[in-house]
Amino acid sequence: MSEKIRVSEIFGPTIQGEGAVIGVPTVFVRTGGCDFRCSWCDSLHAVDQEYRHTWAPMTSQSVLEAVADLSEGEPLMITLSGGNPAIQPLGELINLGQAQGYTFGMETQGSVVKDWFAKLDMLVLSPKPPSSGMETDWKMLARCVVQGAAQTVLKIVVFDDVDFSYAQEVAKRFPDLPIYLQPGNHTPPPPEDDDAEVDIEGIDDRMRWLVDRVVEKKWYSARVLPQLHVMLWGNKRGV
Amino acid sequence: MSEKIRVSEIFGPTIQGEGAVIGVPTVFVRTGGCDFRCSWCDSLHAVDQEYRHTWAPMTSQSVLEAVADLSEGEPLMITLSGGNPAIQPLGELINLGQAQGYTFGMETQGSVVKDWFAKLDMLVLSPKPPSSGMETDWKMLARCVVQGAAQTVLKIVVFDDVDFSYAQEVAKRFPDLPIYLQPGNHTPPPPEDDDAEVDIEGIDDRMRWLVDRVVEKKWYSARVLPQLHVMLWGNKRGV
């Protein structure tokens, strides 16, 4: 019998709000549990062990059925998010889904590698910058890159100049990977209040600053994108 | 001697705010003159003959020099916009630029075809929906698709249900091309006042409505993206 997946929430279809597949209709499967604890985490309800009782253990088959209910049986892109989805047994879900026409994108910080990464249609490696309070295991990140997927990209959240330098360091280490820069949200939702106010103007200021920095550094191979869902729906969950 | 290009403005680097290459640093070369006159045109200063005296006739070489001044000699993506850039002699500019490492994206409505389309790195065909007041020449649009580029995509501005149906019709006619849907801006800038108020909330409402419509129709192959530059900078020109 196969291992169960810890699922925090399944929601959509909505559009992907970030990175390489921004704007693509998708259903999110957010897993529960994380080996990181970023200072500005915007998904604490899927990270903090205090909420572990809300993470339902589900089989691959039941996850796929829940997605199909939401997408009304029509295959689409499934986004595996977390928490850190890399700590879950997701290989079987990907096999089952792809056989039915679904595609799979996953975002992870690159602190854990699994052989099933290779099956993903899109792997977004999002190592965490200094402002997160986390350390980067460069060797492990490199292993994730090598393990790869049909398409592998980097995405770095940037709050300040130190984070920006970190992003440049990441790009230097992996010059062949497309890199996306994303302004951080300094007003992430508390885990039990998704109606909490978001400082959109502050986030937009950071986005404009980030565009200026990229231009100033003539870093024309980087791509700068905001969290579109935050601009459109604030911290609201389920969209 | 080669024909001159009518140039309304050259600005950047900033990020591309729309469509397939959203977020990519770019310099815009906006040509003057258009065979269309869309009811909600947001670039009338490059369309209305009243402003023709502001459209400088420039050689390919001088356009490229102006771009290089802005990008400080570092090659990047050049976005050819308008007006309708397809009515300009741009083949030589593309040749010269690509030899120096620049890449070229162009957006046009698909009402005019040129053999140099084939040299473009990215061709965005943006036929105009009913709300524009314009008619689509389907045969000419098909010729543009066939003429193609390294990558060809469709982008449709959507204001209402009639436009949405039009977008579905376009997708049906060209099922092999990626398609981007973009909420329209009902508060475009008057040609001489780029500080004019934009109804961002209204545009965001239309964006959310468009996501809902795509989901409702299970149109999961469409991609929905806003005009990011309008969200960040309003109607301001030069960003």
Side-chain angles (χ1 to χ4, degrees), chain B residues 6-143:
Chain B
R6 283 266 167 191
V7 176
S8 166
E9 52 185 344
I10 300 179
F11 63 92
T14 182
I15 53 168
Q16 169 59 256
E18 305 180 1
V21 282
I22 190 169
V24 174
T26 188
V27 167
F28 286 84
V29 174
R30 186 187 300 284
T31 62
C34 195
D35 48 322
F36 272 27
R37 185 67 154 79
C38 300
S39 61
W40 34 255
C41 178
D42 62 1
S43 307
L44 272 182
H45 62 290
V47 168
D48 197 319
Q49 287 292 325
E50 191 187 333
Y51 300 94
R52 191 177 167 81
H53 64 282
T54 69
W55 306 338
M58 294 175 74
T59 62
S60 299
Q61 192 56 53
S62 59
V63 169
L64 205 55
E65 278 164 16
V67 172
D69 274 354
L70 291 169
S71 75
E72 298 183 15
E74 187 78 14
L76 81 178
M77 179 176 74
I78 295 176
T79 301
L80 304 169
S81 179
N84 184 4
I87 62 175
Q88 302 291 330
L90 296 173
E92 186 188 50
L93 170 64
I94 298 170
N95 281 343
L96 279 174
Q98 285 176 339
Q100 293 178 33
Y102 291 87
T103 59
F104 287 84
M106 185 178 85
E107 173 167 332
T108 181
Q109 59 263 46
S111 57
V112 171
V113 66
K114 292 283 175 68
D115 54 5
W116 51 259
F117 283 11
K119 301 179 189 178
L120 291 162
D121 299 280
M122 169 69 73
L123 171 62
V124 180
L125 292 171
S126 188
K128 303 306 173 190
S131 63
S132 68
M134 298 293 114
E135 293 285 327
T136 302
D137 179 342
W138 295 104
K139 273 190 191 160
M140 186 55 78
L141 182 60
R143 284 183 59 195

Side-chain angles (χ1 to χ4, degrees), chain A residues 20 22-23 25 208 222-224 232, chain B residues 20 22-23 25 71 208 222-224 232:
Chain A
I22 190 168
R208 287 181 286 254
R223 224 164 140 168
V224 191
L232 291 170
Chain B
I22 190 169
S71 75
R208 288 181 286 255
R223 226 166 138 167
V224 190
L232 291 169

